[in-house]
Amino acid sequence: MNKEQRNELLYQALETELGGVQIYTTAVSCAVNKDLKNEWEEYLEQTKNHVQVITTAIEAVGLFPNTETPGRTVVRHIGESLVKAMEMAKDAGNSESAQLVAAECVVLAETKDHMNWELIGEVAKKATGDDKKALQAAHEEVEDEEDEHLYHTSGWTRELWIDSLGMPAVLPPPEEEKDVKTAIGAARAKHARGSML
Ligand SMILES: [Fe+2]
Protein backbone atom coordinates (compact mmCIF):
# COMPACT_ATOMS: atom_id res chain seq x y z
CA MET A 1 0.00 0.00 0.00
CA ASN A 2 1.15 3.53 -0.79
CA LYS A 3 1.17 4.94 2.75
CA GLU A 4 1.55 8.53 1.65
CA GLN A 5 -1.57 8.30 -0.48
CA ARG A 6 -3.43 6.52 2.32
CA ASN A 7 -2.59 9.47 4.57
CA GLU A 8 -3.75 11.87 1.86
CA LEU A 9 -7.08 10.04 1.70
CA LEU A 10 -7.55 10.39 5.46
CA TYR A 11 -6.74 14.10 5.45
CA GLN A 12 -9.08 14.71 2.53
CA ALA A 13 -11.79 12.72 4.31
CA LEU A 14 -11.44 14.94 7.39
CA GLU A 15 -11.55 18.10 5.28
CA THR A 16 -14.63 16.81 3.43
CA GLU A 17 -16.44 16.24 6.73
CA LEU A 18 -15.43 19.69 8.02
CA GLY A 19 -16.76 21.23 4.81
CA GLY A 20 -19.87 19.05 5.19
CA VAL A 21 -20.71 20.75 8.50
CA GLN A 22 -20.60 24.17 6.79
CA ILE A 23 -22.53 22.89 3.78
CA TYR A 24 -25.34 21.36 5.85
CA THR A 25 -25.56 24.46 8.04
CA THR A 26 -26.14 26.56 4.92
CA ALA A 27 -28.36 23.95 3.24
CA VAL A 28 -30.68 23.83 6.29
CA SER A 29 -31.14 27.59 5.95
CA CYS A 30 -32.15 27.06 2.29
CA ALA A 31 -34.65 24.24 2.96
CA VAL A 32 -38.31 25.09 2.38
CA ASN A 33 -39.78 21.57 2.59
CA LYS A 34 -40.17 20.65 6.27
CA ASP A 35 -39.27 16.97 5.86
CA LEU A 36 -36.13 17.91 3.97
CA LYS A 37 -35.16 20.46 6.60
CA ASN A 38 -35.55 17.83 9.34
CA GLU A 39 -33.51 15.36 7.33
CA TRP A 40 -30.66 17.81 6.75
CA GLU A 41 -30.68 18.82 10.41
CA GLU A 42 -30.20 15.14 11.26
CA TYR A 43 -27.43 14.77 8.66
CA LEU A 44 -25.72 17.88 10.05
CA GLU A 45 -25.52 16.26 13.49
CA GLN A 46 -24.27 12.99 11.96
CA THR A 47 -21.65 14.88 9.94
CA LYS A 48 -20.40 16.62 13.11
CA ASN A 49 -19.94 13.13 14.56
CA HIS A 50 -18.11 12.01 11.38
CA VAL A 51 -15.58 14.80 11.99
CA GLN A 52 -14.89 13.24 15.38
CA VAL A 53 -14.76 9.70 13.97
CA ILE A 54 -12.21 10.52 11.24
CA THR A 55 -10.16 12.69 13.62
CA THR A 56 -9.93 9.77 16.05
CA ALA A 57 -8.95 7.41 13.23
CA ILE A 58 -6.25 9.80 11.97
CA GLU A 59 -4.76 10.04 15.45
CA ALA A 60 -5.00 6.27 15.92
CA VAL A 61 -2.81 5.62 12.87
CA GLY A 62 -0.21 8.08 14.21
CA LEU A 63 -1.01 11.16 12.11
CA PHE A 64 -1.85 14.75 13.03
CA PRO A 65 -5.32 16.02 12.05
CA ASN A 66 -4.04 19.56 11.46
CA THR A 67 -1.59 18.54 8.73
CA GLU A 68 -2.15 20.49 5.52
CA THR A 69 -1.64 18.95 2.08
CA PRO A 70 -2.22 20.49 -1.37
CA GLY A 71 -5.08 18.04 -1.94
CA ARG A 72 -6.71 19.01 1.32
CA THR A 73 -6.55 22.68 0.31
CA VAL A 74 -8.42 21.81 -2.88
CA VAL A 75 -11.12 19.94 -0.94
CA ARG A 76 -11.52 22.98 1.36
CA HIS A 77 -11.79 25.28 -1.66
CA ILE A 78 -14.56 23.14 -3.18
CA GLY A 79 -16.46 23.08 0.12
CA GLU A 80 -16.26 26.85 0.47
CA SER A 81 -17.37 27.23 -3.14
CA LEU A 82 -20.47 25.11 -2.50
CA VAL A 83 -21.39 27.28 0.50
CA LYS A 84 -20.91 30.38 -1.66
CA ALA A 85 -23.09 28.90 -4.42
CA MET A 86 -25.96 28.37 -1.96
CA GLU A 87 -25.59 31.90 -0.59
CA MET A 88 -25.71 33.27 -4.14
CA ALA A 89 -28.94 31.36 -4.77
CA LYS A 90 -30.44 32.56 -1.48
CA ASP A 91 -29.55 36.19 -2.26
CA ALA A 92 -31.32 35.88 -5.63
CA GLY A 93 -34.57 35.74 -3.68
CA ASN A 94 -36.42 32.65 -4.95
CA SER A 95 -36.59 30.24 -2.00
CA GLU A 96 -37.64 27.20 -4.08
CA SER A 97 -34.70 27.73 -6.45
CA ALA A 98 -32.32 28.18 -3.52
CA GLN A 99 -33.55 24.91 -2.04
CA LEU A 100 -32.82 23.15 -5.35
CA VAL A 101 -29.31 24.61 -5.47
CA ALA A 102 -28.76 23.49 -1.88
CA ALA A 103 -29.89 19.96 -2.72
CA GLU A 104 -27.47 19.83 -5.66
CA CYS A 105 -24.63 21.15 -3.49
CA VAL A 106 -25.31 18.50 -0.85
CA VAL A 107 -25.24 15.77 -3.53
CA LEU A 108 -21.91 17.07 -4.88
CA ALA A 109 -20.40 17.17 -1.39
CA GLU A 110 -21.78 13.78 -0.41
CA THR A 111 -20.50 12.17 -3.61
CA LYS A 112 -16.93 12.94 -2.50
CA ASP A 113 -17.71 12.04 1.12
CA HIS A 114 -19.24 8.71 0.09
CA MET A 115 -16.25 7.84 -2.09
CA ASN A 116 -13.78 8.74 0.67
CA TRP A 117 -15.45 6.28 3.03
CA GLU A 118 -15.74 3.60 0.38
CA LEU A 119 -11.98 3.94 -0.14
CA ILE A 120 -11.30 3.95 3.61
CA GLY A 121 -13.22 0.66 3.71
CA GLU A 122 -10.91 -0.74 1.00
CA VAL A 123 -7.81 0.50 2.84
CA ALA A 124 -9.09 -1.05 6.09
CA LYS A 125 -9.41 -4.44 4.39
CA LYS A 126 -5.72 -4.39 3.42
CA ALA A 127 -4.42 -2.79 6.62
CA THR A 128 -2.98 -4.79 9.52
CA GLY A 129 -2.79 -4.60 13.31
CA ASP A 130 -3.96 -1.49 15.16
CA ASP A 131 -4.34 0.51 11.94
CA LYS A 132 -6.80 -2.07 10.65
CA LYS A 133 -8.82 -1.99 13.87
CA ALA A 134 -9.01 1.81 13.92
CA LEU A 135 -9.96 2.17 10.25
CA GLN A 136 -12.48 -0.66 10.36
CA ALA A 137 -14.17 0.76 13.44
CA ALA A 138 -14.42 4.21 11.85
CA HIS A 139 -15.75 2.79 8.59
CA GLU A 140 -18.32 0.66 10.34
CA GLU A 141 -19.62 3.58 12.37
CA VAL A 142 -20.30 5.90 9.42
CA GLU A 143 -20.89 3.59 6.43
CA ASP A 144 -24.69 3.36 6.60
CA GLU A 145 -25.11 7.05 7.30
CA GLU A 146 -22.96 7.97 4.30
CA ASP A 147 -25.12 5.78 2.06
CA GLU A 148 -28.24 7.48 3.35
CA HIS A 149 -26.79 11.00 2.97
CA LEU A 150 -25.96 10.45 -0.69
CA TYR A 151 -28.85 8.30 -1.93
CA HIS A 152 -31.63 10.08 -0.05
CA THR A 153 -30.52 13.59 -0.98
CA SER A 154 -30.09 12.48 -4.62
CA GLY A 155 -33.73 11.35 -4.51
CA TRP A 156 -34.83 14.65 -3.00
CA THR A 157 -32.96 16.58 -5.68
CA ARG A 158 -34.58 14.62 -8.52
CA GLU A 159 -38.11 14.89 -7.10
CA LEU A 160 -37.78 18.60 -6.24
CA TRP A 161 -36.61 19.24 -9.79
CA ILE A 162 -39.56 17.24 -11.19
CA ASP A 163 -41.92 19.20 -8.93
CA SER A 164 -40.42 22.49 -10.11
CA LEU A 165 -41.03 21.39 -13.70
CA GLY A 166 -44.74 21.12 -12.89
CA MET A 167 -44.80 17.33 -13.09
CA PRO A 168 -46.07 14.86 -10.44
CA ALA A 169 -43.32 14.29 -7.85
CA VAL A 170 -42.90 11.71 -5.11
CA LEU A 171 -42.19 13.71 -1.95
CA PRO A 172 -40.58 12.56 0.26
CA PRO A 173 -38.71 10.61 -2.45
CA PRO A 174 -38.93 6.81 -2.86
CA GLU A 175 -35.35 6.48 -1.57
CA GLU A 176 -36.63 7.82 1.76
CA GLU A 177 -39.75 5.67 1.89
CA LYS A 178 -37.80 2.54 1.02
CA ASP A 179 -34.96 3.43 3.42
CA VAL A 180 -32.36 2.95 0.65
CA LYS A 181 -28.79 2.18 1.76
CA THR A 182 -27.19 0.76 -1.40
CA ALA A 183 -26.61 1.83 -5.00
CA ILE A 184 -28.80 -1.07 -6.18
CA GLY A 185 -31.53 -0.03 -3.75
CA ALA A 186 -31.36 3.53 -5.07
CA ALA A 187 -31.74 2.28 -8.64
CA ARG A 188 -34.75 0.15 -7.61
CA ALA A 189 -36.37 3.04 -5.73
CA LYS A 190 -35.97 5.30 -8.74
CA HIS A 191 -37.44 2.62 -10.99
CA ALA A 192 -40.44 2.21 -8.65
CA ARG A 193 -41.29 5.93 -8.51
CA GLY A 194 -43.85 5.59 -11.30
CA SER A 195 -45.99 3.29 -9.14
CA MET A 196 -45.73 5.67 -6.17
CA LEU A 197 -47.29 8.70 -7.86
FE1 LIG B 1 -19.97 12.16 6.37
Side-chain angles (χ1 to χ4, degrees), residues 9-10 13 54 115-124 135 139:
L9 172 65
L10 297 175
I54 188 68
M115 189 178 66
N116 290 340
W117 282 105
E118 207 175 310
L119 292 169
I120 290 169
E122 292 303 314
V123 169
L135 296 173
H139 181 255

Side-chain angles (χ1 to χ4, degrees), residues 17 24 46-47 50-51 110 113-114 117 142 145-146 149:
E17 297 290 9
Y24 275 116
Q46 290 173 344
T47 299
H50 295 177
V51 172
E110 289 292 0
D113 199 16
H114 189 267
W117 282 105
V142 306
E145 291 175 356
E146 292 300 352
H149 293 182

Side-chain angles (χ1 to χ4, degrees), residues 43-65:
Y43 294 174
L44 169 60
E45 291 313 307
Q46 290 173 344
T47 299
K48 285 179 183 168
N49 181 48
H50 295 177
V51 172
Q52 293 309 313
V53 171
I54 188 68
T55 300
T56 303
I58 285 172
E59 287 169 346
V61 302
L63 299 172
F64 298 97

Side-chain angles (χ1 to χ4, degrees), residues 12-164:
Q12 287 195 21
L14 171 57
E15 194 59 44
T16 305
E17 297 290 9
L18 288 168
V21 171
Q22 302 305 317
I23 288 160
Y24 275 116
T25 302
T26 313
V28 164
S29 76
C30 294
V32 182
N33 182 295
K34 246 185 136 201
D35 292 323
L36 181 59
K37 201 185 191 82
N38 288 340
E39 180 140 318
W40 281 347
E41 276 168 352
E42 188 189 330
Y43 294 174
L44 169 60
E45 291 313 307
Q46 290 173 344
T47 299
K48 285 179 183 168
N49 181 48
H50 295 177
V51 172
Q52 293 309 313
V53 171
I54 188 68
T55 300
T56 303
I58 285 172
E59 287 169 346
V61 302
L63 299 172
F64 298 97
N66 289 334
T67 305
E68 292 291 344
T69 71
R72 183 171 178 171
T73 308
V74 170
V75 172
R76 185 178 306 133
H77 175 80
I78 293 171
E80 288 167 353
S81 303
L82 292 173
V83 169
K84 219 171 178 180
M86 287 185 269
E87 280 164 356
M88 267 169 68
K90 238 169 62 168
D91 289 346
N94 181 325
S95 55
E96 303 279 339
S97 302
Q99 175 177 254
L100 262 182
V101 169
E104 288 188 358
C105 288
V106 169
V107 170
L108 288 170
E110 289 292 0
T111 300
K112 166 72 172 163
D113 199 16
H114 189 267
M115 189 178 66
N116 290 340
W117 282 105
E118 207 175 310
L119 292 169
I120 290 169
E122 292 303 314
V123 169
K125 277 186 211 162
K126 291 272 180 276
T128 54
D130 288 346
D131 283 9
K132 187 184 188 76
K133 266 192 221 154
L135 296 173
Q136 262 180 346
H139 181 255
E140 210 158 289
E141 187 171 347
V142 306
E143 188 185 22
D144 280 1
E145 291 175 356
E146 292 300 352
D147 287 336
E148 199 179 318
H149 293 182
L150 177 60
Y151 300 130
H152 290 210
T153 304
S154 296
W156 275 101
T157 309
R158 182 191 64 244
E159 297 300 330
L160 288 171
W161 253 110
I162 288 173
D163 188 50
S164 77

